[in-house]
Amino acid sequence: MKLDILKRLGFYALVTIIVLQALFPFYYAILTSLEDGQALFEINYLPEALNFINYQSMLSGGVFGKQILNSVFVASVVVIISLTLAVTAAYALSRIRFRGRGLLLLTILSVSMFPQIAVLAGLFEVIRWLGLFNSLWALVFSYMIFTLPFTVWVLTTFMRNLPIEIEEAAIMDGASSLTIIRRVFLPLMWPAMVTTGLLAFIHAWNEFLFALTFLSTDGQRTVPVAIAMISGRSEFEIPWGNIMAASVIVTLPLVALVLIFQRKIVSGLTAGAVKG
Amino acid sequence: MAAVDLINVSKSYGSVEVLRDINLSLQKGEFVVFVGPSGCGKSTLLRMIAGLEDVTSGELRIANEPMNDVLPAKRGISMVFQSYALYPHMSVFENMAFGLEQAKLSKAEIIERVHEAAEMLQLTPLLKRKPKQLSGGQRQRVAIGRAITRDPRVFLFDEPLSNLDAALRVDTRLEIKALHERLPETTMIYVTHDQVEAMTLADRIVVLSDGRVEQIGTPMELYNKPASKFVAGFIGSPKMNFLTGALAESHGAQTYGIRPEHITISDSKGDWQGRVILREELGSDTFVHVAVEGIGKVNVRVAGSYEIGASETVFLSPQPGNAHYFDASGQPIA
Ligand SMILES: Nc1ncnc2c1ncn2[C@@H]1O[C@H](COP(=O)(O)OP(=O)(O)OP(=O)(O)O)[C@@H](O)[C@H]1O
Ligand SMILES: [Mg+2]
């Protein structure tokens, strides 16, 4: 009896710790973003005043809005191109028998093993050669190096688990390849695509190193670098309030996306268990 | 008129030849069953007729038209897959309508055909459901319904019952037989490795073994006049007894075959004397396994129940005229 209660208490204590550990930094960022001036440096755990001046100064500053749009553009284009390429590649890798298929799959996966810093110098040369320096396409191009392998890999695994007989039934029903992809594959792949697309989006949204290296002007920057470069009135002042407000602003789109696609993500993670 | 002809058809995957020189001619409206052990090439043959596999060499004709290079959907065939292969995201109605939409039929005609097929298979109350909301037997009927709506000349089934439990399998077998009677113009080709399904459904059975046709014939022809030792052992349940040794040699054969139901058992007199090893009681039948001195192990089928204890002595008499003799290569000796 007693042990039961203890066990339960222990369980909830653990849950609380994990939740706190995960959410506290973000909560504190929100708190800080709502404070100004001297209030910033007083330690408090509950909001004392709702002061939106930090948000105002970030959003009216002009360039930050543009930077958010840059991020949205880069992340969206990366997701769209990655998924389009990955679906077609996954189809070939999972359905068509050809020599060296296993090797190709392993190669694709191994590309994502290189640390970013290892490819940075080489990539910089490539991007200069392509004339993409300080262009958002430089980021689109370089992020694909990381998003494509894992979208291809995940979608290939997922597509392999779709019974081939469903596709054959569609062939017998007289569907063209395009119809099969559109009416049969995409509806079934949708959860997997949402899941991988979202991960790719988050990756592109948060990436720092390439964004710092390949872009040189404020107007081109994406938000992680932009936030790191927010500076105060003098070099001795770090504008924590502004930084936190900016951080909160750029987190919201991700939270919104996850909430919108929540049910799809869950069914994406369990889709393999459902038999046609 | 011939519905499906295969002329010297072979199939290879790379250097591996899985089907060799298949010659078959199926009549319109016939129910033909391909039967054979696992891996003998039944599915491959069926999928070549469907157009899902290329014909490596030889000619395939449907209704006397060459079909080797015709798209699957243009062959006038429908296929029911072993795993049903329903589209999981579509309702029963949409599943059955999909092929008709691809054929560009009018909305009204699609609705009419789907409802007609649904009526035939008692699927009308289920039309709005998704496949995952159906039982195995219902899914099977939807798969058949989807095939019917396309109004095919040839119906292909690849082991359609193997995912069902035993009781449902018998029901569905009867439904498929009834379906064939309702569609007398439609040729049906049915693949199974279950010889009971083959015997009960088929007008003609094609026995395949290791990529070759062993024998083609009506169920009774196969049962009474097996063209090889392989067919003799494959058709009939329980399996035919194969006895080698002096008994076979006295008839100039290598193997002497007698079916369990063609042996009379008695506790007082008979041609062979032996001891009971094991008795299997099925209610309607009893199988008695007997070790016969100088001959070997023999399985006997007795109608009804037969009371006898293990290691008791019994006498067996093979019924004259029902014995089969095979030479060393498995060919029958008349
Ligand atoms: N894609 C392939 N590549 C190489 N060999 C194959 C391929 N598909 C089938 N085979 C081989 O062809 C032979 C026949 O296969 P098939 O599927 O037709 O057998 P089956 O008679 O339907 O068996 P089962 O009763 O188990 O379904 C098998 O030996 C199999 O290994
Ligand atoms: Mg098979």
Side-chain angles (χ1 to χ4, degrees):
Chain A
M1 245 347 237
K2 246 206 180 130
L3 209 69
D4 247 23
I5 295 174
L6 272 184
K7 256 190 194 164
R8 210 178 266 184
L9 271 181
F11 174 73
Y12 283 112
L14 207 64
V15 169
T16 316
I17 291 173
I18 291 171
V19 170
L20 273 184
Q21 202 258 349
L23 290 185
F24 182 76
F26 189 60
Y27 173 74
Y28 205 71
I30 295 177
L31 270 192
T32 313
S33 72
L34 293 171
E35 290 165 353
D36 188 35
Q38 219 30 53
L40 264 176
F41 301 99
E42 282 155 23
I43 295 171
N44 57 311
Y45 297 105
L46 291 171
E48 285 172 357
L50 289 183
N51 187 339
F52 288 99
I53 185 148
N54 290 320
Y55 289 90
Q56 236 167 20
S57 78
M58 279 317 298
L59 291 176
S60 62
V63 78
F64 189 62
K66 169 82 167 48
Q67 288 163 338
I68 291 182
L69 288 184
N70 288 346
S71 273
V72 171
F73 172 80
V74 170
S76 310
V77 173
V78 164
V79 168
I80 291 168
I81 299 183
S82 297
L83 285 184
T84 314
L85 293 179
V87 167
T88 41
Y91 181 79
L93 287 168
S94 62
R95 286 292 194 256
I96 300 170
R97 278 187 288 264
F98 57 88
R99 257 166 186 280
R101 181 169 65 166
L103 190 69
L104 189 61
L105 261 176
L106 273 182
T107 314
I108 288 173
L109 194 67
S110 62
V111 166
S112 56
M113 291 187 315
F114 296 112
Q116 270 186 300
I117 195 76
V119 296
L120 190 64
L123 202 54
F124 190 80
E125 288 302 316
V126 173
I127 282 177
R128 269 238 311 250
W129 180 73
L130 289 172
L132 292 178
F133 184 72
N134 200 29
S135 152
L136 292 177
W137 292 102
L139 294 192
V140 171
F141 177 74
S142 54
Y143 291 174
M144 302 272 280
I145 295 174
F146 296 94
T147 57
L148 259 185
F150 96 87
T151 42
V152 168
W153 186 268
V154 172
L155 292 187
T156 301
T157 321
F158 190 86
M159 207 180 271
R160 270 194 187 161
N161 286 332
L162 292 180
I164 193 162
E165 295 191 336
I166 292 184
E167 185 188 343
E168 290 175 343
I171 293 175
M172 301 290 302
D173 270 342
S176 65
S177 303
L178 210 65
T179 312
I180 293 177
I181 290 184
R182 211 169 45 81
R183 299 259 330 256
V184 179
F185 269 132
L186 284 188
L188 295 176
M189 299 276 293
W190 180 226
M193 289 178 52
V194 166
T195 314
T196 48
L198 205 60
L199 290 175
F201 190 93
I202 292 172
H203 176 92
W205 188 261
N206 288 336
E207 204 284 332
F208 185 83
L209 186 60
F210 288 167
L212 178 70
T213 315
F214 300 147
L215 301 175
S216 60
T217 55
D218 258 357
Q220 293 292 86
R221 286 200 210 289
T222 51
V223 284
V225 179
I227 291 175
M229 295 206 164
I230 293 172
S231 51
R233 274 163 298 237
S234 73
E235 61 179 300
F236 303 109
E237 186 198 344
I238 297 174
W240 286 114
N242 285 350
I243 291 175
M244 289 304 162
S247 310
V248 172
I249 293 172
V250 304
T251 311
L252 292 180
L254 296 189
V255 175
L257 279 180
V258 172
L259 287 182
I260 292 171
F261 291 116
Q262 192 185 28
R263 289 191 42 205
K264 288 287 177 196
I265 296 174
V266 173
S267 64
L269 296 177
T270 57
V274 184
K275 271 254 165 86
Chain B
M1 191 181 83
V4 179
D5 287 296
L6 293 119
I7 303 149
N8 289 327
V9 168
S10 298
K11 174 75 185 174
S12 311
Y13 289 109
S15 60
V16 189
E17 199 173 40
V18 296
L19 288 169
R20 269 190 302 284
D21 287 332
I22 306 287
N23 283 292
L24 279 178
S25 179
L26 313 186
Q27 299 306 307
K28 188 172 177 187
E30 211 176 6
F31 199 121
V32 175
V33 175
F34 294 170
V35 66
S38 191
C40 68
K42 308 178 294 286
S43 301
T44 307
L45 190 54
L46 194 74
R47 291 164 56 82
M48 285 202 302
I49 297 172
L52 294 170
E53 300 279 355
D54 293 332
V55 177
T56 309
S57 70
E59 196 184 358
L60 167 69
R61 304 172 76 90
I62 296 178
N64 289 328
E65 292 162 45
M67 283 289 149
N68 286 36
D69 301 315
V70 176
L71 288 175
K74 301 260 184 285
R75 296 186 178 194
I77 48 182
S78 285
M79 181 151 170
V80 176
F81 293 86
Q82 178 173 358
S83 68
Y84 319 142
L86 301 177
Y87 310 120
H89 55 294
M90 296 186 196
S91 68
V92 170
F93 180 92
E94 289 165 334
N95 262 286
M96 290 166 69
F98 187 74
L100 303 178
E101 281 170 33
Q102 302 310 313
K104 305 260 181 316
L105 264 62
S106 74
K107 264 248 156 52
E109 198 168 348
I110 291 177
I111 292 176
E112 189 194 311
R113 283 225 212 161
V114 171
H115 279 281
E116 198 181 321
E119 203 58 48
M120 199 190 285
L121 294 161
Q122 296 122 48
L123 288 170
T124 311
L126 307 176
L127 282 176
K128 288 207 174 65
R129 295 214 202 157
K130 291 272 168 65
K132 65 166 172 266
Q133 296 164 313
L134 302 175
S135 71
Q138 290 167 334
R139 283 179 206 182
Q140 180 63 67
R141 292 215 298 277
V142 176
I144 293 175
R146 180 171 68 179
I148 290 179
T149 51
R150 299 186 53 227
D151 197 11
R153 295 182 287 197
V154 184
F155 228 117
L156 308 178
F157 296 90
D158 192 356
E159 308 206 24
L161 307 186
S162 56
N163 285 344
L164 303 178
D165 64 46
L168 204 50
R169 208 175 299 167
V170 175
D171 290 348
T172 313
R173 199 171 76 202
L174 292 173
E175 274 177 41
I176 290 177
K177 202 168 170 79
L179 181 70
H180 181 235
E181 266 149 33
R182 248 176 296 161
L183 303 170
E185 298 280 280
T186 313
T187 310
M188 295 194 174
I189 307 178
Y190 185 105
V191 163
T192 179
H193 55 242
D194 181 47
Q195 57 94 21
V196 178
E197 273 172 36
M199 295 294 278
T200 51
L201 286 171
D203 294 326
R204 277 198 302 164
I205 297 178
V206 177
V207 183
L208 293 165
S209 158
D210 204 13
R212 286 179 309 106
V213 174
E214 281 278 339
Q215 188 172 3
I216 307 174
T218 64
M220 284 336 277
E221 278 167 10
L222 264 56
Y223 180 83
N224 292 325
K225 291 198 179 62
S228 67
K229 189 181 157 197
F230 174 83
V231 176
F234 198 80
I235 300 291
S237 168
K239 226 166 106 73
M240 182 186 283
N241 295 296
F242 289 122
L243 306 168
T244 49
L247 173 65
E249 276 155 26
S250 71
H251 291 91
Q254 218 240 351
T255 311
Y256 170 96
I258 183 86
R259 294 191 188 279
E261 54 270 39
H262 294 151
I263 301 175
T264 327
I265 195 165
S266 153
D267 49 12
S268 52
K269 60 181 195 312
D271 300 350
W272 304 338
Q273 184 180 357
R275 281 176 188 285
V276 175
I277 311 170
L278 191 75
R279 196 170 58 105
E280 295 172 291
E281 195 110 44
L282 267 74
S284 59
D285 292 299
T286 306
F287 303 145
V288 187
H289 298 262
V290 182
V292 180
E293 288 147 31
I295 288 183
K297 266 192 251 174
V298 178
N299 184 9
V300 184
R301 175 185 196 152
V302 189
S305 80
Y306 187 76
E307 292 294 334
I308 193 157
S311 77
E312 277 182 50
T313 303
V314 287
F315 295 89
L316 306 179
S317 312
Q319 294 167 8
N322 279 321
H324 301 264
Y325 305 96
F326 302 98
D327 64 17
S329 63
Q331 295 303 304
I333 300 170

